[in-house]
Amino acid sequence: SAGIVLAALLLVVLLRPAAREPLIGERRATDAITTAPSIAVMPFVNLSSNPDDEYVSDGLTEEIVTKLGSVRGLRVVARTSSYRFKGKHEPVAGIAQALQVNHLLQGSVRRSGVRLRVSAQLIDARVDEHIWSQTFDRDASDILGIQEEIALAVVAALKVSLLDADEFRIRRRGTNDTEAYRLYLVALPHLLGRTRPPDMNVAKRSLDAAIERDPNFAAAHAGLARYYFRRAWGGLNDVEDSARLGTAAAERAVALDPASPEALQARANFRFWRHRFRGDYEAFVSAESDMQRAIELDPTNSVTFDGFCRAVGWHQPGLASNLVEQVRRTGPLCIGP
């Protein structure tokens, strides 16, 4: 399977002595943290009394990673690498060394009814000093605004020049309906297999409800496409219906937002599927283009790299190997979705 090819490629890369990444606390002669701005957004801690509110803190973390990842001149570690430290209490210097960054963004989220308290602090890991911190006490409906403010504050604190296009991407929202956004966040961990066990029925209901509230929410349509893709790829029944409905959802997502990495990846998944099971080579070429564009738009998303690598592993092992190398550069500890 493609997964076996991916595993083999990963093994080849990982066994290269020069490419081996340092473990926590391990140092090498060439491991000096560079002065160019780089950052890892650590998983925001859920301080709410309800553990089910974890989706809020995880969603906030992911969105900040995406927004910062769109800024030219700032290297942002892939979210999967950062999530390796979720729930762990490691020294700042050790985490920064393992992730090969010079700054960490840490924070917490507490949801209480309709109120939301978000605390964030930016740390210069080279001297273990806070260079910016702020607490946001807001209505929970302002979560989209909080994400933007944190991203812009971090860029300012790091003294990174912000181009108009960068600021546009930071301020860009997939939806202005915060309940639709909340429903999307509920679905996301199930879609990506980050809950144990994932409940695809919860994902489907949440996405349907999000789209009902905001029919123009591209990421929700892309999520629905991912739901159907899982059914088309791994199902024994209603495969054709799943492929048809998923393709329609993906095309709708791209039509709504051609610059959405989630939408482009969703469409690419089904185009790769058509190549794999229907022998459509033109679909394969189009899927490659979609995946490359998705990576350009969001270079921190390891799910895109992983899906791309699995899809081309048999046909273009050289490209797959290059994708593995890109994953390693984007996130030193990032292997798999």
Side-chain angles (χ1 to χ4, degrees):
S1 70
I4 295 174
V5 173
L6 175 63
L9 288 167
L10 290 173
L11 185 61
V12 169
V13 174
L14 290 171
L15 288 179
R16 293 176 185 169
R20 187 176 68 83
E21 304 301 338
L23 302 174
I24 296 281
E26 181 181 356
R27 302 192 65 84
R28 303 182 304 192
T30 59
D31 67 356
I33 300 175
T34 63
T35 56
S38 56
I39 187 171
V41 181
M42 309 310 295
F44 276 51
V45 179
N46 174 34
L47 299 180
S48 305
S49 57
N50 186 354
D52 290 340
D53 282 340
E54 192 83 8
Y55 71 87
V56 178
S57 55
D58 285 349
L60 184 74
T61 305
E62 295 221 9
E63 192 65 20
I64 293 171
V65 172
T66 299
K67 289 183 181 298
L68 291 176
S70 69
V71 177
R72 295 173 179 82
L74 176 62
R75 188 175 74 84
V76 182
V77 165
R79 62 205 74 181
T80 306
S81 281
S82 299
Y83 268 84
R84 296 295 179 93
F85 296 97
K86 185 173 182 177
K88 299 179 180 178
H89 302 285
E90 300 282 355
V92 166
I95 296 174
Q97 186 66 42
L99 298 179
Q100 299 179 13
V101 295
N102 44 41
H103 292 85
L104 299 180
L105 180 67
Q106 299 177 332
S108 63
V109 180
R110 185 186 301 275
R111 179 186 174 96
S112 180
V114 298
R115 299 299 297 175
L116 198 66
R117 168 173 282 195
V118 178
S119 296
Q121 48 273 339
L122 180 64
I123 303 170
D124 186 333
R126 294 165 295 190
V127 291
D128 197 5
E129 288 184 359
H130 288 66
I131 58 175
W132 170 83
S133 64
Q134 189 168 344
T135 296
F136 303 83
D137 280 301
R138 304 278 182 81
D139 189 280
S141 64
D142 195 31
I143 185 172
L144 298 171
I146 294 172
Q147 294 167 353
E148 291 174 14
E149 289 185 45
I150 291 175
L152 289 169
V154 167
V155 171
L158 293 177
K159 296 181 173 57
V160 176
S161 297
L162 194 62
L163 303 177
D164 289 343
D166 299 334
E167 184 170 356
F168 173 79
R169 283 189 289 269
I170 288 177
R171 294 189 182 279
R172 181 170 162 271
R173 298 182 180 183
T175 180
N176 288 316
D177 187 318
T178 53
E179 177 59 14
Y181 182 67
R182 185 192 71 82
L183 289 163
Y184 172 70
L185 291 184
V186 170
L188 198 59
H190 295 283
L191 288 174
L192 299 179
R194 291 175 182 166
T195 59
R196 294 291 183 270
D199 189 331
M200 299 309 292
N201 291 324
V202 169
K204 177 66 163 54
R205 286 196 303 270
S206 299
L207 291 168
D208 284 342
I211 291 170
E212 184 176 359
R213 290 190 63 91
D214 183 356
N216 296 322
F217 189 5
H221 287 280
L224 192 61
R226 177 175 286 277
Y227 164 81
Y228 283 118
F229 179 72
R230 289 173 64 103
R231 291 173 63 91
W233 187 268
L236 298 177
N237 302 311
D238 66 13
V239 172
E240 293 297 333
D241 276 347
S242 293
R244 176 178 57 81
L245 292 169
T247 299
E251 292 289 357
R252 174 65 174 156
V254 175
L256 287 168
D257 187 354
S260 165
E262 297 88 356
L264 290 165
Q265 186 194 356
R267 186 169 71 175
N269 283 340
F270 279 101
R271 288 179 170 178
F272 280 133
W273 183 89
R274 285 211 308 275
H275 173 255
R276 174 79 179 271
F277 294 103
R278 300 293 182 266
D280 187 341
Y281 183 71
E282 289 185 3
F284 181 88
V285 174
S286 298
E288 276 194 281
S289 177
D290 278 348
M291 282 292 199
Q292 293 283 11
R293 179 61 176 151
I295 289 172
E296 288 174 12
L297 291 165
D298 183 5
T300 67
N301 193 339
S302 61
V303 175
T304 304
F305 281 104
D306 183 73
F308 196 3
C309 190
R310 290 175 187 275
V312 302
W314 281 116
H315 308 283
Q316 298 189 40
L319 173 58
S321 180
N322 287 338
L323 289 167
V324 172
E325 292 286 1
Q326 288 184 62
V327 170
R328 291 181 61 87
R329 289 195 297 270
T330 305
L333 305 182
C334 173
I335 298 296

